[in-house]
Amino acid sequence: MWIAGAAPGLKIDWTRMPTYNTIMAVAAGVGLVLVVGLGHKVLRGRITDHFEGWALAFGVLGVILTATGLHMTLTWPLAGQGFPFDNIVFGEPSLAFGVLLLAAALYLWRKGVLIAAALDRPALLARTAGPISLFVAGMGLGCFGIAAAGWTYTLFAAPPQEPISGAFADMPLLEATFISGLYVLVGLGAVLFPLALRSKGGRLTTVVGVCWGLAGIAFTLFGALNYFTHIGLIVNTM
């Protein structure tokens, strides 16, 4: 659990503190990787049909992130235990990404044939994603804010009761730097996204892809690891 200031004898009433940022991290990570993968295939002309499979993948991940992010954002389920910042850190970005994935899924399901037939795919993507790219950039700035808060207040430091991550409890800046660094990568890609669309497959597109690809892989692996560490934390603090 990414919280700060945990005492050695920490006890948590888990009936009042739903914890599901495990599946959120995995879904967000895989979503970033898939966005990069599809973008690469489309811009390089390596996909001409079967957009339905991508639409299904985006739709599944979008439902998970929208549902969990919306619940966390609107009900603040973590606030009762004194960690309301987790709702901002995890809930709101997940909600935003989930809705974006759902919109992409709908577009790919209904209009994938337009992408396949387009003579100038980068121009088509720029026209289609241009308006929403402003929101993507805005959330990128928000990711910078989350990263800065993580470093300033060491929000992501694991308590000693958490397996593996808890071994570094006396070095709170270590995990804070890791998680904040991932938010910086996501934010950098998001802020550059509108410019990358205008570059129509130029170097900025590669930079965005690298940022999101690395962050996606890291979030996926870290979220998968947390299925063990969070279970251990729950057992150790009941």
Side-chain angles (χ1 to χ4, degrees):
M1 190 66 180
W2 303 324
I3 56 180
L10 177 66
K11 296 295 181 183
I12 297 177
D13 181 5
W14 291 103
T15 63
R16 298 177 55 206
M17 190 171 178
T19 302
Y20 40 76
N21 50 13
T22 41
I23 193 171
M24 295 166 80
V26 172
V30 172
L32 287 171
V33 171
L34 288 181
V35 167
V36 173
L38 178 60
H40 178 76
K41 287 180 177 293
V42 168
L43 292 176
R44 297 296 183 271
R46 296 179 180 178
I47 181 171
T48 58
D49 53 12
H50 301 300
F51 285 94
E52 294 87 353
W54 292 92
L56 289 173
F58 285 176
V60 168
L61 299 174
V63 168
I64 293 173
L65 289 172
T66 300
T68 55
L70 184 64
H71 179 249
M72 185 177 284
T73 299
L74 296 183
T75 64
W76 283 56
L78 305 184
Q81 291 291 336
F83 311 118
F85 52 79
D86 278 6
N87 305 98
I88 299 173
V89 170
F90 304 120
E92 294 186 16
S94 294
L95 173 60
F97 191 29
V99 174
L100 288 171
L101 286 176
L102 288 178
L106 178 63
Y107 179 80
L108 290 172
W109 186 268
R110 298 187 59 188
K111 303 293 185 179
V113 63
L114 295 180
I115 300 177
L119 297 178
D120 190 347
R121 291 183 174 185
L124 174 62
L125 291 179
R127 291 194 302 269
T128 302
I132 198 60
S133 69
L134 297 179
F135 177 64
V136 174
M139 289 304 300
L141 295 176
C143 287
F144 290 157
I146 292 173
W151 270 309
T152 302
Y153 304 108
T154 58
L155 300 183
F156 308 116
Q161 293 83 359
E162 182 172 330
I164 302 178
S165 301
F168 307 99
D170 58 343
M171 296 182 288
L173 277 179
L174 181 62
E175 191 165 7
T177 298
F178 174 70
I179 300 298
S180 291
L182 294 184
Y183 274 101
V184 168
L185 281 177
V186 175
L188 181 60
V191 168
L192 293 178
F193 182 62
L195 299 177
L197 288 176
R198 296 180 62 180
S199 73
K200 298 181 180 180
R203 291 184 178 180
L204 281 180
T205 304
T206 301
V207 173
V208 172
V210 170
C211 287
W212 285 352
L214 291 176
I217 293 172
F219 268 121
T220 301
L221 295 177
F222 195 65
L225 174 66
N226 281 340
Y227 273 97
F228 170 72
T229 62
H230 282 196
I231 291 172
L233 175 63
I234 292 170
V235 172
N236 291 335
T237 57
M238 287 191 304

